[in-house]
Amino acid sequence: AKDKGRNAFQFYTADMNQAVEQRLTIERELRQALKFGQFELFYQPFVDFESGKIIGAEALIRWNHPVHGLVSPVEFISAAEESGLIVPLGKWVLKTACYQAKGIQKALGRKFRISVNLSARQLSESDFVKTLDGCLNETGLDPKTLELEVTESTLMEDAESVILKLREVRRRGCSLAIDDFGTGYSSLSYLKRLPITSLKVDRSFVKDLPDDEEDREITSLIVAMAKSLHYEVIVEGVETPEQHAFLANCGCHIGQGYFYSRPLPVDHFMTLLFSDGSE
Ligand code: C2E
Ligand code: CA
Ligand code: CA
Ligand code: CA
């Protein structure tokens, strides 16, 4: 039977043929979904530890599946990457996020930061920078208000050509964040060569805070090192007031997590933004 929601596609898996069949089904459905506009971006706030205000948001994709309902990206991003569909899908995400960011900024009457996730596959496209320019030009979004999130593994893959593209991104004024920081193997000395502006500390380090002594040490250390290298520090997965208090005390700049808000559809997000008193 077909489950609803998050685990929509986990009803296969029994054997290899089924796994292959499942992949093909997802690919076919993803293609259709793109064609019929079944994707949607949700927004999760970035909260400034000092002021307590919402200063930006991360765009997170959702699939409004006609049968399974709202499907999490965990269920389909890897299939989109393996099939190459992530390239057109990623373009859709980037353009939609720029367009909606512009809308949010108009409504607010000021700049507001939006962060977009990039796949390695997108960055390896030779025309990635052109795609980015196209989105910025078409929507008129100030590049300084756009941030791109890449993971450590993305950066390890094809280091030199990726670094060149990231420099181009920075030259336009966009910010660059390392996502899921601490889960890869890159050394800080390697990171130092990259034109990044922020580190997003992975939620696995936050999960057992403040009780777990090791995690307390690790997060404090990452935050201290990142700050001494002048990176902005964003902490993901803040779920409790105790975690919030510990991280604020560590000197983190920005928190993101269910403690502040779940990712929301853009209209709900804007309602939250206007009730935040951050105007
Ligand atoms: P991510 O970039 O690390 O995004 C953070 C994930 O953590 C999101 O899951 C978010 O809903 C979830 N999260 C936020 N706060 C909390 C919390 O307090 N507790 C817990 N347990 N989870 C929290 P989501 O939206 O399901 O996205 C999963 C992953 O899918 C993302 O991880 C990202 O790697 C990928 N993804 C999402 N949207 C896009 C996209 O537009 N393009 C690409 N390439 N990947 C995307
Ligand atoms: Ca992210
Ligand atoms: Ca992350
Ligand atoms: Ca993650």
Side-chain angles (χ1 to χ4, degrees):
K2 300 187 175 185
D3 301 344
K4 275 203 165 159
R6 292 189 54 82
N7 300 316
F9 290 103
Q10 287 179 357
F11 51 89
Y12 300 91
T13 67
D15 65 39
M16 280 300 281
N17 284 340
Q18 282 191 327
V20 169
E21 203 171 299
Q22 174 192 14
R23 227 344 100 88
L24 292 175
T25 303
I26 297 180
E27 281 180 29
R28 183 166 26 78
E29 293 202 59
L30 281 171
R31 236 178 275 277
Q32 293 283 306
L34 206 60
K35 191 164 146 196
F36 294 116
Q38 293 170 4
F39 293 106
E40 184 179 346
L41 294 182
F42 276 36
Y43 290 89
Q44 186 177 36
F46 288 154
V47 174
D48 179 72
F49 274 111
E50 213 159 68
S51 67
K53 304 273 196 234
I54 300 174
I55 55 105
E58 178 175 2
L60 294 158
I61 196 168
R62 299 289 181 266
W63 179 2
N64 273 311
H65 191 284
V67 177
H68 305 307
L70 212 57
V71 180
S72 153
V74 176
E75 303 284 324
F76 63 86
I77 287 291
S78 71
E81 283 170 342
E82 281 165 34
S83 62
L85 275 172
I86 194 70
V87 174
L89 186 59
K91 278 183 189 166
W92 178 86
V93 169
L94 195 57
K95 190 164 144 195
T96 305
C98 288
Y99 179 77
Q100 292 181 328
K102 188 76 185 174
I104 291 170
Q105 293 177 2
K106 265 199 185 129
L108 274 179
R110 60 175 168 77
K111 300 299 176 202
F112 187 79
R113 165 171 163 194
I114 293 289
S115 200
V116 174
N117 292 285
L118 283 190
S119 278
R121 188 72 182 257
Q122 283 174 273
L123 259 180
S124 71
E125 289 287 292
S126 58
D127 65 351
F128 171 75
V129 177
K130 215 175 103 196
T131 300
L132 176 66
D133 283 338
C135 289
L136 291 169
N137 288 335
E138 202 176 314
T139 59
L141 184 72
D142 178 354
K144 289 199 186 65
T145 63
L146 178 66
E147 178 174 63
L148 301 177
E149 298 189 4
V150 294
T151 61
E152 288 172 73
S153 53
T154 302
L155 300 170
M156 304 303 275
E157 261 171 44
D158 183 12
E160 285 316 311
S161 89
V162 165
I163 291 175
L164 287 177
K165 283 177 204 164
L166 295 181
R167 289 222 180 91
E168 284 302 308
V169 168
R170 290 283 299 125
R171 237 164 47 84
R172 281 149 181 79
C174 300
S175 324
L176 268 177
I178 300 282
D179 204 354
D180 303 342
F181 182 75
T183 60
Y185 298 95
S186 46
S187 63
L188 279 162
S189 63
Y190 171 75
L191 283 184
K192 199 57 198 145
R193 293 177 39 224
L194 302 172
I196 55 172
T197 48
S198 325
L199 291 186
K200 297 193 74 172
V201 178
D202 191 70
R203 116 172 146 243
S204 56
F205 300 108
V206 177
K207 193 167 48 79
D208 299 322
L209 289 178
D211 304 325
D212 188 288
E213 193 192 337
E214 211 166 59
D215 286 338
R216 280 204 308 273
E217 299 283 343
I218 293 170
T219 39
S220 315
L221 210 63
I222 293 176
V223 173
M225 285 189 301
K227 288 182 80 172
S228 71
L229 293 170
H230 307 291
Y231 296 135
E232 177 186 64
V233 185
I234 304 171
V235 207
E236 308 186 303
V238 183
E239 293 185 352
T240 69
E242 292 78 17
Q243 290 169 347
H244 168 83
F246 177 82
L247 294 163
N249 195 45
C250 272
C252 297
H253 302 109
I254 292 171
Q256 180 183 1
Y258 298 163
F259 175 60
Y260 314 105
S261 168
R262 299 225 164 214
L264 300 170
V266 68
D267 50 338
H268 293 198
F269 176 72
M270 283 176 79
T271 305
L272 174 71
L273 203 52
F274 279 100
S275 65
D276 183 50
S278 48
E279 262 186 295

